[in-house]
Amino acid sequence: MGSSDEKVVAVIMVGGPTKGTRFRPLSLNIPKPLFPLAGHPMVHHPINACKRIPNLAQIYLVGFYEEREFALYVSSISNELRVPVRYLKEDKPHGSAGGLYKFRDLIMEDSPSHIFLLNCDVCCSFPLPEMLEAHRSYGGIGTILVIKVSAESASQFGELVADPVTNELLHYTEKPETFVSDRINCGVYIFTPEIFTAIQDVSTQRKDRANLRRMSSFEALQSATRSLPADFVRLDQDILSPLAGKKKLYTYETMDYWEQIKTPGMSLKCSALYLGHYRHTSPHLLAIGDGTKSATIIGDVYIHPSAKVHPTAKLGPNVSISANARVGPGARLISCILLDDVEVKENGVVIHSIVGWKSSIGRWSRVQGGGDYNAKLGITILGESVAVEDEVVVINSIVLPNKTLNISVQEEIIL
């Protein structure tokens, strides 16, 4: 183990408006990292996990969003966790490693011995202290969190081969066309400051290659589309692949859950995973009720303290209810997220759905998805301020903001 005065910093990549279009209509009025899963913003879960890292000095969020979009959240989470959290805005895309390198002076301000790097759009139990311990025992410059997945789904991610005894990373390839391994990169890393030298080396080599090559104007046009700017460095292709097999990178395998949050469907699945995680880490966040003085609760349910739920309602499993929501008599909620100021009226039913801010579900109405989290219309999504009138059924549909539905719809996208 390292000495007790060694400092550690964490960097969480939050992306930005250049991405996240698959998350619409939910990302139309809120940055995707602030979308609530299990009652807390998506980015809150990795931040909260960082709190368990010994000697954590600072957490940085790096992305393209305007600073004002994160200002309120950053100040409240810093106070809550009593760890400084700071948002750093990239001026242009620098790649996953280039973004880290751009802010190296700030990141190194506290002279940390180790730097955690986490992607915001992954959902897992974030075993960060355990990773740190393993990383120190390996003695490399970096350790990657990995998980075993099915051979069919592996090609969607970075596949890797590690030594079964030493855990050294031997081979890494991003989204290969042919099967390499059923172990994949989880998007959670720990590095020593030596990572900055490795990133700088890639930039320098690129500059040197650009200066050395003299080419015809036709060749220049052809290569311009292929060559990347010197300061654009990708962690996977430019750092992990070349350093594999050189006794510099190692792996730490998690046996717990892991998912990538690219779509609203996956956010609903991950909200359920985090609710299940609360049972072990924060049981006080889960609602309890027996249907007498409070609603009947089945399985894992989160209810914001300001929400009002009628005692005759029945909730769960896997339900998350946000601030100022109102759930009326006889309502039934299963596997859903209700966002701020939503109203579900008498005997309304919501299943496998996300109900947007200020939306309302009428009496005896039903909003339901099929529960296929990977399908485009596998869940039902209502955007902001959607009104579903009494006795209307909405199945496997996406409804954009400010619509009123007075007839039933099935498998439609309502623009």
Side-chain angles (χ1 to χ4, degrees), residues 163-238:
D163 185 303
V165 178
T166 64
N167 293 321
E168 186 200 342
L169 180 71
L170 300 175
H171 179 73
Y172 184 89
T173 178
E174 186 68 20
K175 296 181 183 170
E177 289 181 15
T178 54
F179 178 75
V180 173
S181 164
D182 58 4
R183 298 299 194 283
I184 62 158
N185 176 0
C186 290
V188 177
Y189 315 86
I190 180 166
F191 295 110
T192 63
E194 215 182 314
I195 187 66
F196 293 122
T197 311
I199 299 169
Q200 189 177 14
D201 289 347
V202 173
S203 293
T204 308
Q205 283 167 12
R206 256 195 215 142
K207 280 181 190 147
D208 292 348
R209 271 202 302 273
N211 293 338
L212 276 170
R213 287 196 65 190
R214 293 180 62 193
M215 53 184 94
S216 69
S217 55
F218 175 73
E219 276 184 313
L221 276 170
Q222 292 289 94
S223 115
T225 58
R226 284 199 304 268
S227 62
L228 293 162
D231 61 354
F232 187 94
V233 184
R234 301 159 301 180
L235 190 63
D236 31 36
Q237 292 103 315
D238 299 327

Side-chain angles (χ1 to χ4, degrees), residues 1 70 102 176 260 265 275 290 293 323 352 359 391 398 407:
M1 291 294 287
F70 276 83
K102 176 176 169 54
Q260 202 171 20
L275 286 169
D290 56 7
K293 289 184 179 173
H352 294 306
S359 291
E391 299 175 34
I398 297 172
I407 54 165

